[in-house]
C-alpha cells in the first residue's frame, strides 16, 4: 500500500487499543439496537503479521435484522471535511464474503440512511479503494456531501452468514 503525503490516515492500528489515529474510538454495533438478533464483537487482533481490528459475528435476518458493524466517528464534534480527498481506502482480509463500507453525513437523521459500497474480503490481505463517486445513497434522496462526514462503518449486512473481517488500516486518499 502506497501512502501519499496528502492522504489522511484514519487508523493504522498503531494505537494498540480501540482508539483511531484521529482520536475517536471504534465501537461495535449490531441490529439488536432495532430488535434484530445478530451478535458479535470487535477485538484487537493480528493476522499474518499485521495488527488489525477484527469484527466477528453471526449476521441474522431474523426479526427484521441483518447486520454487525464496527463504526468510527470521524469527528468528536461537528463534521469532518473530506473535500481534499477522492475516496476511502481499506487494507482488509476476511473470509471470502462481501462486506459494506457505510459513510454517514450530518445531513442524515435516520440510523439506516447512509452512502455505501460493497467489497469482497479475501483470506489474503488486500487494499480496497472506494472512490466517493462510487458510493450509493441508501434510503435518502440527499446528495453525498463529503464536507459533512460524521461516521464510517464496516459491516456484515443483509443476509445470514458468519462475518469475519480484519481491518489493518483505513485512510482517505487523493489521486
Amino acid at each position: 500500500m502506497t501512502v501519499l503525503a496528502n492522504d489522511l490516515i484514519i487508523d493504522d492500528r498503531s494505537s494498540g487499543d480501540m482508539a483511531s489515529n484521529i482520536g475517536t474510538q471504534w465501537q461495535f454495533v449490531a441490529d439488536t439496537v432495532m430488535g434484530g438478533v445478530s451478535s458479535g464483537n470487535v477485538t484487537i487482533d493480528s493476522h499474518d503479521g499485521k495488527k488489525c481490528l477484527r469484527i466477528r459475528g453471526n449476521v441474522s435476518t431474523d426479526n427484521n435484522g441483518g447486520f454487525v458493524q464496527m463504526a468510527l466517528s470521524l469527528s468528536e464534534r461537528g463534521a469532518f471535511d473530506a473535500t481534499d480527498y477522492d475516496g476511502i481506502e481499506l487494507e482488509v482480509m476476511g473470509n471470502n464474503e462481501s462486506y459494506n463500507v457505510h459513510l454517514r453525513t450530518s445531513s442524515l437523521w435516520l440510523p439506516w440512511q447512509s452512502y455505501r459500497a460493497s467489497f469482497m474480503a479475501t483470506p489474503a490481505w488486500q487494499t480496497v479503494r472506494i472512490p466517493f463517486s462510487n458510493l450509493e445513497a441508501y434510503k435518502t434522496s440527499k446528495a453525498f456531501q463529503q464536507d459533512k462526514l460524521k461516521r464510517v462503518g464496516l459491516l456484515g449486512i443483509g443476509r445470514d452468514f458468519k462475518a469475519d473481517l480484519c481491518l489493518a488500516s483505513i485512510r482517505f486518499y487523493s489521486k
Side-chain angles (χ1 to χ4, degrees):
M1 172 184 312
T2 303
V3 179
L4 300 177
N6 51 348
D7 288 356
L8 174 72
I9 297 170
I10 299 168
D11 194 4
D12 64 5
R13 298 314 310 138
S14 60
S15 72
D17 58 24
M18 297 300 275
S20 68
N21 290 54
I22 60 174
T24 55
Q25 300 283 319
W26 287 96
Q27 54 187 300
F28 175 79
V29 182
D31 57 23
T32 55
V33 299
M34 299 183 293
V37 296
S38 298
S39 62
N41 61 9
V42 174
T43 57
I44 299 160
D45 206 339
S46 65
H47 193 305
D48 286 342
K50 290 186 188 260
K51 294 178 185 177
C52 61
L53 278 182
R54 189 172 203 164
I55 184 169
R56 292 184 194 171
N58 292 312
V59 180
S60 171
T61 55
D62 290 347
N63 209 31
N64 296 314
F67 76 88
V68 293
Q69 174 179 205
M70 62 174 140
L72 181 72
S73 292
L74 295 171
S75 175
E76 292 194 20
R77 54 180 141 10
F80 181 84
D81 184 350
T83 54
D84 291 339
Y85 306 101
D86 297 305
I88 194 162
E89 182 178 281
L90 315 166
E91 187 176 6
V92 294
M93 62 79 49
N95 58 346
N96 274 329
E97 293 283 355
S98 177
Y99 292 89
N100 276 24
V101 61
H102 291 190
L103 288 168
R104 289 188 45 83
T105 67
S106 57
S107 301
L108 303 178
W109 292 97
L110 301 172
W112 49 82
Q113 294 175 312
S114 63
Y115 303 93
R116 51 178 66 177
S118 296
F119 63 93
M120 285 297 296
T122 65
W125 285 106
Q126 63 184 351
T127 300
V128 175
R129 274 194 162 191
I130 300 169
F132 290 138
S133 61
N134 286 4
L135 294 172
E136 294 182 12
Y138 182 78
K139 299 213 176 193
T140 181
S141 59
K142 296 180 185 209
F144 178 67
Q145 297 170 294
Q146 64 193 77
D147 62 333
K148 295 186 180 205
L149 297 182
K150 295 289 285 180
R151 187 165 113 163
V152 61
L154 300 177
L155 295 86
I157 189 168
R159 66 198 188 289
D160 296 323
F161 76 106
K162 290 199 179 296
D164 189 357
L165 177 69
C166 293
L167 173 71
S169 70
I170 182 171
R171 71 186 75 246
F172 289 127
Y173 73 87
S174 42
K175 295 178 187 169

